[in-house]
Amino acid sequence: MLAALPATVLETTTVVTDGVKRFDGFLMRDLLDHVGAVGETVTATALNDYVIDIPMEDFERFDVLVATHMDGQRLLPSDKGPLWIVYPRDDHAELQDIRYDYRWVWQLIELDVK
């Protein structure tokens, strides 16, 4: 199902890597639209049990990517994979606020819409 979503590319810096990285994946809003998700908040859970609530509004305001690849390499669980929520931080000054950095969930395994 994920492979059928429109492919998107985002180039941006991150707070946990050096320099500009190229991320390939799909937009979070496309995934949420595809599954008919309705709600105010998305709770994202990672392999390491990290959990954070992300306002649905983020996905409409910004082109938030669910990355499957970084710099052409598939994201693996041993690093930041299988999926990584990536914000276009270089495109919007407000995204450089630490509150948004907490929403960059790597090793993403579950989304719960409320």
PDB file of all heavy atoms in Angstrom, residues 58-90:
ATOM      1  N   ASP A  58      -0.171  19.892  11.272  1.00  0.00           N
ATOM      2  CA  ASP A  58       1.186  19.899  10.723  1.00  0.00           C
ATOM      3  C   ASP A  58       1.215  19.350   9.304  1.00  0.00           C
ATOM      4  O   ASP A  58       1.944  19.844   8.446  1.00  0.00           O
ATOM      5  CB  ASP A  58       2.133  19.047  11.572  1.00  0.00           C
ATOM      6  CG  ASP A  58       2.627  19.739  12.817  1.00  0.00           C
ATOM      7  OD1 ASP A  58       2.104  20.814  13.168  1.00  0.00           O
ATOM      8  OD2 ASP A  58       3.544  19.190  13.465  1.00  0.00           O
ATOM      9  N   PHE A  59       0.415  18.318   9.069  1.00  0.00           N
ATOM     10  CA  PHE A  59       0.479  17.622   7.785  1.00  0.00           C
ATOM     11  C   PHE A  59      -0.223  18.394   6.673  1.00  0.00           C
ATOM     12  O   PHE A  59       0.025  18.139   5.496  1.00  0.00           O
ATOM     13  CB  PHE A  59      -0.075  16.209   7.927  1.00  0.00           C
ATOM     14  CG  PHE A  59       0.556  15.474   9.079  1.00  0.00           C
ATOM     15  CD1 PHE A  59      -0.221  14.874  10.056  1.00  0.00           C
ATOM     16  CD2 PHE A  59       1.933  15.417   9.215  1.00  0.00           C
ATOM     17  CE1 PHE A  59       0.356  14.211  11.124  1.00  0.00           C
ATOM     18  CE2 PHE A  59       2.532  14.766  10.285  1.00  0.00           C
ATOM     19  CZ  PHE A  59       1.741  14.160  11.243  1.00  0.00           C
ATOM     20  N   GLU A  60      -1.082  19.325   7.046  1.00  0.00           N
ATOM     21  CA  GLU A  60      -1.708  20.205   6.052  1.00  0.00           C
ATOM     22  C   GLU A  60      -0.845  21.445   5.807  1.00  0.00           C
ATOM     23  O   GLU A  60      -0.733  21.910   4.682  1.00  0.00           O
ATOM     24  CB  GLU A  60      -3.112  20.603   6.507  1.00  0.00           C
ATOM     25  CG  GLU A  60      -4.098  19.454   6.522  1.00  0.00           C
ATOM     26  CD  GLU A  60      -4.181  18.717   5.188  1.00  0.00           C
ATOM     27  OE1 GLU A  60      -4.191  19.386   4.121  1.00  0.00           O
ATOM     28  OE2 GLU A  60      -4.238  17.468   5.201  1.00  0.00           O
ATOM     29  N   ARG A  61      -0.245  21.961   6.853  1.00  0.00           N
ATOM     30  CA  ARG A  61       0.559  23.192   6.743  1.00  0.00           C
ATOM     31  C   ARG A  61       1.903  22.961   6.073  1.00  0.00           C
ATOM     32  O   ARG A  61       2.427  23.840   5.393  1.00  0.00           O
ATOM     33  CB  ARG A  61       0.802  23.788   8.130  1.00  0.00           C
ATOM     34  CG  ARG A  61      -0.442  24.366   8.764  1.00  0.00           C
ATOM     35  CD  ARG A  61      -0.152  25.003  10.107  1.00  0.00           C
ATOM     36  NE  ARG A  61       0.829  26.077   9.973  1.00  0.00           N
ATOM     37  CZ  ARG A  61       1.703  26.389  10.913  1.00  0.00           C
ATOM     38  NH1 ARG A  61       1.753  25.727  12.044  1.00  0.00           N
ATOM     39  NH2 ARG A  61       2.549  27.376  10.728  1.00  0.00           N
ATOM     40  N   PHE A  62       2.487  21.785   6.300  1.00  0.00           N
ATOM     41  CA  PHE A  62       3.842  21.499   5.822  1.00  0.00           C
ATOM     42  C   PHE A  62       3.867  20.192   5.032  1.00  0.00           C
ATOM     43  O   PHE A  62       3.055  19.309   5.277  1.00  0.00           O
ATOM     44  CB  PHE A  62       4.815  21.373   7.006  1.00  0.00           C
ATOM     45  CG  PHE A  62       4.763  22.514   7.971  1.00  0.00           C
ATOM     46  CD1 PHE A  62       4.268  22.339   9.257  1.00  0.00           C
ATOM     47  CD2 PHE A  62       5.190  23.782   7.604  1.00  0.00           C
ATOM     48  CE1 PHE A  62       4.221  23.383  10.160  1.00  0.00           C
ATOM     49  CE2 PHE A  62       5.145  24.846   8.489  1.00  0.00           C
ATOM     50  CZ  PHE A  62       4.660  24.651   9.778  1.00  0.00           C
ATOM     51  N   ASP A  63       4.809  20.081   4.127  1.00  0.00           N
ATOM     52  CA  ASP A  63       4.993  18.848   3.362  1.00  0.00           C
ATOM     53  C   ASP A  63       5.831  17.869   4.187  1.00  0.00           C
ATOM     54  O   ASP A  63       7.009  17.620   3.896  1.00  0.00           O
ATOM     55  CB  ASP A  63       5.657  19.145   2.014  1.00  0.00           C
ATOM     56  CG  ASP A  63       4.735  19.864   1.062  1.00  0.00           C
ATOM     57  OD1 ASP A  63       3.501  19.775   1.228  1.00  0.00           O
ATOM     58  OD2 ASP A  63       5.246  20.533   0.131  1.00  0.00           O
ATOM     59  N   VAL A  64       5.215  17.315   5.217  1.00  0.00           N
ATOM     60  CA  VAL A  64       5.889  16.370   6.101  1.00  0.00           C
ATOM     61  C   VAL A  64       5.993  15.031   5.384  1.00  0.00           C
ATOM     62  O   VAL A  64       4.995  14.481   4.919  1.00  0.00           O
ATOM     63  CB  VAL A  64       5.138  16.220   7.440  1.00  0.00           C
ATOM     64  CG1 VAL A  64       5.830  15.197   8.330  1.00  0.00           C
ATOM     65  CG2 VAL A  64       5.014  17.568   8.135  1.00  0.00           C
ATOM     66  N   LEU A  65       7.210  14.531   5.308  1.00  0.00           N
ATOM     67  CA  LEU A  65       7.492  13.307   4.570  1.00  0.00           C
ATOM     68  C   LEU A  65       7.593  12.123   5.523  1.00  0.00           C
ATOM     69  O   LEU A  65       8.080  12.260   6.645  1.00  0.00           O
ATOM     70  CB  LEU A  65       8.830  13.474   3.844  1.00  0.00           C
ATOM     71  CG  LEU A  65       9.215  12.433   2.819  1.00  0.00           C
ATOM     72  CD1 LEU A  65       8.406  12.653   1.542  1.00  0.00           C
ATOM     73  CD2 LEU A  65      10.694  12.516   2.504  1.00  0.00           C
ATOM     74  N   VAL A  66       7.134  10.975   5.059  1.00  0.00           N
ATOM     75  CA  VAL A  66       7.472   9.714   5.702  1.00  0.00           C
ATOM     76  C   VAL A  66       8.553   9.122   4.810  1.00  0.00           C
ATOM     77  O   VAL A  66       8.287   8.676   3.696  1.00  0.00           O
ATOM     78  CB  VAL A  66       6.256   8.774   5.827  1.00  0.00           C
ATOM     79  CG1 VAL A  66       6.682   7.462   6.487  1.00  0.00           C
ATOM     80  CG2 VAL A  66       5.138   9.433   6.610  1.00  0.00           C
ATOM     81  N   ALA A  67       9.783   9.199   5.290  1.00  0.00           N
ATOM     82  CA  ALA A  67      10.924   8.776   4.476  1.00  0.00           C
ATOM     83  C   ALA A  67      11.141   7.276   4.569  1.00  0.00           C
ATOM     84  O   ALA A  67      11.060   6.687   5.643  1.00  0.00           O
ATOM     85  CB  ALA A  67      12.181   9.511   4.929  1.00  0.00           C
ATOM     86  N   THR A  68      11.442   6.711   3.399  1.00  0.00           N
ATOM     87  CA  THR A  68      11.827   5.307   3.315  1.00  0.00           C
ATOM     88  C   THR A  68      13.308   5.166   2.961  1.00  0.00           C
ATOM     89  O   THR A  68      13.907   4.120   3.196  1.00  0.00           O
ATOM     90  CB  THR A  68      11.001   4.574   2.242  1.00  0.00           C
ATOM     91  OG1 THR A  68      11.188   5.233   0.977  1.00  0.00           O
ATOM     92  CG2 THR A  68       9.515   4.566   2.604  1.00  0.00           C
ATOM     93  N   HIS A  69      13.870   6.260   2.391  1.00  0.00           N
ATOM     94  CA  HIS A  69      15.268   6.270   1.953  1.00  0.00           C
ATOM     95  C   HIS A  69      15.925   7.589   2.334  1.00  0.00           C
ATOM     96  O   HIS A  69      15.259   8.633   2.354  1.00  0.00           O
ATOM     97  CB  HIS A  69      15.363   6.131   0.425  1.00  0.00           C
ATOM     98  CG  HIS A  69      14.931   4.809  -0.087  1.00  0.00           C
ATOM     99  ND1 HIS A  69      13.606   4.431  -0.158  1.00  0.00           N
ATOM    100  CD2 HIS A  69      15.653   3.764  -0.561  1.00  0.00           C
ATOM    101  CE1 HIS A  69      13.529   3.208  -0.667  1.00  0.00           C
ATOM    102  NE2 HIS A  69      14.758   2.781  -0.912  1.00  0.00           N
ATOM    103  N   MET A  70      17.233   7.547   2.621  1.00  0.00           N
ATOM    104  CA  MET A  70      18.025   8.749   2.833  1.00  0.00           C
ATOM    105  C   MET A  70      19.270   8.640   1.959  1.00  0.00           C
ATOM    106  O   MET A  70      19.988   7.633   2.019  1.00  0.00           O
ATOM    107  CB  MET A  70      18.431   8.900   4.303  1.00  0.00           C
ATOM    108  CG  MET A  70      19.242  10.164   4.576  1.00  0.00           C
ATOM    109  SD  MET A  70      19.573  10.455   6.337  1.00  0.00           S
ATOM    110  CE  MET A  70      20.645   9.075   6.728  1.00  0.00           C
ATOM    111  N   ASP A  71      19.472   9.661   1.141  1.00  0.00           N
ATOM    112  CA  ASP A  71      20.601   9.683   0.207  1.00  0.00           C
ATOM    113  C   ASP A  71      20.680   8.402  -0.619  1.00  0.00           C
ATOM    114  O   ASP A  71      21.755   7.830  -0.846  1.00  0.00           O
ATOM    115  CB  ASP A  71      21.926   9.939   0.949  1.00  0.00           C
ATOM    116  CG  ASP A  71      22.010  11.351   1.492  1.00  0.00           C
ATOM    117  OD1 ASP A  71      21.295  12.246   0.983  1.00  0.00           O
ATOM    118  OD2 ASP A  71      22.804  11.579   2.431  1.00  0.00           O
ATOM    119  N   GLY A  72      19.512   7.939  -1.057  1.00  0.00           N
ATOM    120  CA  GLY A  72      19.444   6.782  -1.944  1.00  0.00           C
ATOM    121  C   GLY A  72      19.510   5.433  -1.255  1.00  0.00           C
ATOM    122  O   GLY A  72      19.370   4.401  -1.904  1.00  0.00           O
ATOM    123  N   GLN A  73      19.709   5.418   0.055  1.00  0.00           N
ATOM    124  CA  GLN A  73      19.820   4.158   0.793  1.00  0.00           C
ATOM    125  C   GLN A  73      18.535   3.898   1.578  1.00  0.00           C
ATOM    126  O   GLN A  73      18.018   4.786   2.251  1.00  0.00           O
ATOM    127  CB  GLN A  73      20.999   4.211   1.772  1.00  0.00           C
ATOM    128  CG  GLN A  73      22.340   4.423   1.111  1.00  0.00           C
ATOM    129  CD  GLN A  73      22.734   3.262   0.217  1.00  0.00           C
ATOM    130  OE1 GLN A  73      22.631   2.096   0.617  1.00  0.00           O
ATOM    131  NE2 GLN A  73      23.166   3.554  -0.992  1.00  0.00           N
ATOM    132  N   ARG A  74      18.048   2.683   1.485  1.00  0.00           N
ATOM    133  CA  ARG A  74      16.868   2.281   2.244  1.00  0.00           C
ATOM    134  C   ARG A  74      17.146   2.463   3.733  1.00  0.00           C
ATOM    135  O   ARG A  74      18.217   2.080   4.212  1.00  0.00           O
ATOM    136  CB  ARG A  74      16.539   0.810   1.942  1.00  0.00           C
ATOM    137  CG  ARG A  74      15.346   0.270   2.703  1.00  0.00           C
ATOM    138  CD  ARG A  74      14.060   0.662   1.995  1.00  0.00           C
ATOM    139  NE  ARG A  74      12.914   0.014   2.611  1.00  0.00           N
ATOM    140  CZ  ARG A  74      11.982   0.668   3.289  1.00  0.00           C
ATOM    141  NH1 ARG A  74      12.036   1.967   3.423  1.00  0.00           N
ATOM    142  NH2 ARG A  74      10.971   0.023   3.803  1.00  0.00           N
ATOM    143  N   LEU A  75      16.205   3.049   4.444  1.00  0.00           N
ATOM    144  CA  LEU A  75      16.346   3.197   5.893  1.00  0.00           C
ATOM    145  C   LEU A  75      16.105   1.854   6.565  1.00  0.00           C
ATOM    146  O   LEU A  75      15.080   1.209   6.330  1.00  0.00           O
ATOM    147  CB  LEU A  75      15.350   4.233   6.421  1.00  0.00           C
ATOM    148  CG  LEU A  75      15.612   5.673   6.007  1.00  0.00           C
ATOM    149  CD1 LEU A  75      14.424   6.563   6.369  1.00  0.00           C
ATOM    150  CD2 LEU A  75      16.882   6.200   6.650  1.00  0.00           C
ATOM    151  N   LEU A  76      17.039   1.441   7.400  1.00  0.00           N
ATOM    152  CA  LEU A  76      16.949   0.160   8.086  1.00  0.00           C
ATOM    153  C   LEU A  76      16.703   0.377   9.577  1.00  0.00           C
ATOM    154  O   LEU A  76      17.103   1.410  10.133  1.00  0.00           O
ATOM    155  CB  LEU A  76      18.244  -0.631   7.897  1.00  0.00           C
ATOM    156  CG  LEU A  76      18.625  -0.948   6.454  1.00  0.00           C
ATOM    157  CD1 LEU A  76      19.998  -1.591   6.394  1.00  0.00           C
ATOM    158  CD2 LEU A  76      17.567  -1.829   5.812  1.00  0.00           C
ATOM    159  N   PRO A  77      16.079  -0.576  10.253  1.00  0.00           N
ATOM    160  CA  PRO A  77      15.857  -0.440  11.692  1.00  0.00           C
ATOM    161  C   PRO A  77      17.152  -0.232  12.483  1.00  0.00           C
ATOM    162  O   PRO A  77      17.133   0.356  13.553  1.00  0.00           O
ATOM    163  CB  PRO A  77      15.176  -1.753  12.079  1.00  0.00           C
ATOM    164  CG  PRO A  77      14.509  -2.207  10.817  1.00  0.00           C
ATOM    165  CD  PRO A  77      15.443  -1.773   9.706  1.00  0.00           C
ATOM    166  N   SER A  78      18.271  -0.673  11.968  1.00  0.00           N
ATOM    167  CA  SER A  78      19.539  -0.492  12.664  1.00  0.00           C
ATOM    168  C   SER A  78      20.002   0.961  12.648  1.00  0.00           C
ATOM    169  O   SER A  78      20.941   1.327  13.357  1.00  0.00           O
ATOM    170  CB  SER A  78      20.622  -1.376  12.034  1.00  0.00           C
ATOM    171  OG  SER A  78      20.763  -1.064  10.656  1.00  0.00           O
ATOM    172  N   ASP A  79      19.329   1.792  11.862  1.00  0.00           N
ATOM    173  CA  ASP A  79      19.651   3.217  11.839  1.00  0.00           C
ATOM    174  C   ASP A  79      18.384   4.004  12.147  1.00  0.00           C
ATOM    175  O   ASP A  79      17.934   4.032  13.264  1.00  0.00           O
ATOM    176  CB  ASP A  79      20.263   3.608  10.490  1.00  0.00           C
ATOM    177  CG  ASP A  79      20.844   5.013  10.496  1.00  0.00           C
ATOM    178  OD1 ASP A  79      21.095   5.545  11.592  1.00  0.00           O
ATOM    179  OD2 ASP A  79      21.024   5.580   9.419  1.00  0.00           O
ATOM    180  N   LYS A  80      17.758   4.604  11.161  1.00  0.00           N
ATOM    181  CA  LYS A  80      16.585   5.443  11.395  1.00  0.00           C
ATOM    182  C   LYS A  80      15.311   4.829  10.816  1.00  0.00           C
ATOM    183  O   LYS A  80      14.265   5.444  10.846  1.00  0.00           O
ATOM    184  CB  LYS A  80      16.786   6.831  10.774  1.00  0.00           C
ATOM    185  CG  LYS A  80      18.022   7.557  11.268  1.00  0.00           C
ATOM    186  CD  LYS A  80      17.787   8.199  12.598  1.00  0.00           C
ATOM    187  CE  LYS A  80      18.901   9.105  13.019  1.00  0.00           C
ATOM    188  NZ  LYS A  80      19.880   8.492  13.879  1.00  0.00           N
ATOM    189  N   GLY A  81      15.398   3.640  10.262  1.00  0.00           N
ATOM    190  CA  GLY A  81      14.271   3.037   9.573  1.00  0.00           C
ATOM    191  C   GLY A  81      13.436   2.143  10.458  1.00  0.00           C
ATOM    192  O   GLY A  81      13.725   1.999  11.634  1.00  0.00           O
ATOM    193  N   PRO A  82      12.404   1.551   9.954  1.00  0.00           N
ATOM    194  CA  PRO A  82      12.080   1.455   8.531  1.00  0.00           C
ATOM    195  C   PRO A  82      11.500   2.737   7.938  1.00  0.00           C
ATOM    196  O   PRO A  82      11.609   2.977   6.742  1.00  0.00           O
ATOM    197  CB  PRO A  82      11.070   0.320   8.470  1.00  0.00           C
ATOM    198  CG  PRO A  82      10.389   0.349   9.812  1.00  0.00           C
ATOM    199  CD  PRO A  82      11.459   0.793  10.786  1.00  0.00           C
ATOM    200  N   LEU A  83      10.899   3.558   8.775  1.00  0.00           N
ATOM    201  CA  LEU A  83      10.294   4.805   8.308  1.00  0.00           C
ATOM    202  C   LEU A  83      10.708   5.933   9.242  1.00  0.00           C
ATOM    203  O   LEU A  83      10.897   5.722  10.441  1.00  0.00           O
ATOM    204  CB  LEU A  83       8.764   4.694   8.281  1.00  0.00           C
ATOM    205  CG  LEU A  83       8.187   3.561   7.437  1.00  0.00           C
ATOM    206  CD1 LEU A  83       6.694   3.414   7.700  1.00  0.00           C
ATOM    207  CD2 LEU A  83       8.448   3.813   5.959  1.00  0.00           C
ATOM    208  N   TRP A  84      10.817   7.147   8.676  1.00  0.00           N
ATOM    209  CA  TRP A  84      11.243   8.305   9.465  1.00  0.00           C
ATOM    210  C   TRP A  84      10.367   9.492   9.085  1.00  0.00           C
ATOM    211  O   TRP A  84      10.283   9.852   7.908  1.00  0.00           O
ATOM    212  CB  TRP A  84      12.705   8.600   9.172  1.00  0.00           C
ATOM    213  CG  TRP A  84      13.361   9.667   9.992  1.00  0.00           C
ATOM    214  CD1 TRP A  84      12.812  10.399  10.998  1.00  0.00           C
ATOM    215  CD2 TRP A  84      14.707  10.118   9.870  1.00  0.00           C
ATOM    216  NE1 TRP A  84      13.743  11.283  11.518  1.00  0.00           N
ATOM    217  CE2 TRP A  84      14.913  11.126  10.837  1.00  0.00           C
ATOM    218  CE3 TRP A  84      15.762   9.777   9.032  1.00  0.00           C
ATOM    219  CZ2 TRP A  84      16.116  11.793  10.988  1.00  0.00           C
ATOM    220  CZ3 TRP A  84      16.969  10.439   9.182  1.00  0.00           C
ATOM    221  CH2 TRP A  84      17.144  11.425  10.150  1.00  0.00           C
ATOM    222  N   ILE A  85       9.710  10.090  10.066  1.00  0.00           N
ATOM    223  CA  ILE A  85       8.926  11.312   9.825  1.00  0.00           C
ATOM    224  C   ILE A  85       9.909  12.472   9.718  1.00  0.00           C
ATOM    225  O   ILE A  85      10.661  12.741  10.658  1.00  0.00           O
ATOM    226  CB  ILE A  85       7.913  11.566  10.950  1.00  0.00           C
ATOM    227  CG1 ILE A  85       6.875  10.440  10.998  1.00  0.00           C
ATOM    228  CG2 ILE A  85       7.233  12.923  10.757  1.00  0.00           C
ATOM    229  CD1 ILE A  85       5.895  10.538  12.164  1.00  0.00           C
ATOM    230  N   VAL A  86       9.891  13.147   8.561  1.00  0.00           N
ATOM    231  CA  VAL A  86      10.849  14.204   8.262  1.00  0.00           C
ATOM    232  C   VAL A  86      10.108  15.489   7.897  1.00  0.00           C
ATOM    233  O   VAL A  86       9.260  15.484   6.998  1.00  0.00           O
ATOM    234  CB  VAL A  86      11.781  13.785   7.094  1.00  0.00           C
ATOM    235  CG1 VAL A  86      12.736  14.898   6.722  1.00  0.00           C
ATOM    236  CG2 VAL A  86      12.537  12.509   7.447  1.00  0.00           C
ATOM    237  N   TYR A  87      10.432  16.553   8.590  1.00  0.00           N
ATOM    238  CA  TYR A  87       9.838  17.868   8.324  1.00  0.00           C
ATOM    239  C   TYR A  87      10.733  18.668   7.372  1.00  0.00           C
ATOM    240  O   TYR A  87      11.957  18.529   7.427  1.00  0.00           O
ATOM    241  CB  TYR A  87       9.689  18.657   9.628  1.00  0.00           C
ATOM    242  CG  TYR A  87       8.481  18.295  10.447  1.00  0.00           C
ATOM    243  CD1 TYR A  87       8.406  17.088  11.128  1.00  0.00           C
ATOM    244  CD2 TYR A  87       7.411  19.166  10.541  1.00  0.00           C
ATOM    245  CE1 TYR A  87       7.298  16.761  11.889  1.00  0.00           C
ATOM    246  CE2 TYR A  87       6.283  18.856  11.298  1.00  0.00           C
ATOM    247  CZ  TYR A  87       6.239  17.649  11.966  1.00  0.00           C
ATOM    248  OH  TYR A  87       5.135  17.337  12.706  1.00  0.00           O
ATOM    249  N   PRO A  88      10.139  19.532   6.546  1.00  0.00           N
ATOM    250  CA  PRO A  88      10.936  20.369   5.631  1.00  0.00           C
ATOM    251  C   PRO A  88      11.523  21.572   6.387  1.00  0.00           C
ATOM    252  O   PRO A  88      11.201  22.720   6.124  1.00  0.00           O
ATOM    253  CB  PRO A  88       9.915  20.787   4.574  1.00  0.00           C
ATOM    254  CG  PRO A  88       8.614  20.830   5.319  1.00  0.00           C
ATOM    255  CD  PRO A  88       8.700  19.712   6.334  1.00  0.00           C
ATOM    256  N   ARG A  89      12.402  21.302   7.347  1.00  0.00           N
ATOM    257  CA  ARG A  89      12.877  22.322   8.285  1.00  0.00           C
ATOM    258  C   ARG A  89      13.600  23.473   7.607  1.00  0.00           C
ATOM    259  O   ARG A  89      13.575  24.599   8.107  1.00  0.00           O
ATOM    260  CB  ARG A  89      13.712  21.706   9.406  1.00  0.00           C
ATOM    261  CG  ARG A  89      15.084  21.265   9.033  1.00  0.00           C
ATOM    262  CD  ARG A  89      15.810  20.522  10.161  1.00  0.00           C
ATOM    263  NE  ARG A  89      15.687  21.094  11.486  1.00  0.00           N
ATOM    264  CZ  ARG A  89      16.558  21.956  12.002  1.00  0.00           C
ATOM    265  NH1 ARG A  89      17.587  22.350  11.301  1.00  0.00           N
ATOM    266  NH2 ARG A  89      16.387  22.408  13.227  1.00  0.00           N
ATOM    267  N   ASP A  90      14.238  23.239   6.480  1.00  0.00           N
ATOM    268  CA  ASP A  90      14.967  24.318   5.800  1.00  0.00           C
ATOM    269  C   ASP A  90      14.030  25.248   5.029  1.00  0.00           C
ATOM    270  O   ASP A  90      14.438  26.340   4.642  1.00  0.00           O
ATOM    271  CB  ASP A  90      16.023  23.750   4.859  1.00  0.00           C
ATOM    272  CG  ASP A  90      17.136  23.032   5.605  1.00  0.00           C
ATOM    273  OD1 ASP A  90      17.190  23.125   6.853  1.00  0.00           O
ATOM    274  OD2 ASP A  90      17.945  22.364   4.943  1.00  0.00           O
TER     275      ASP A  90
END
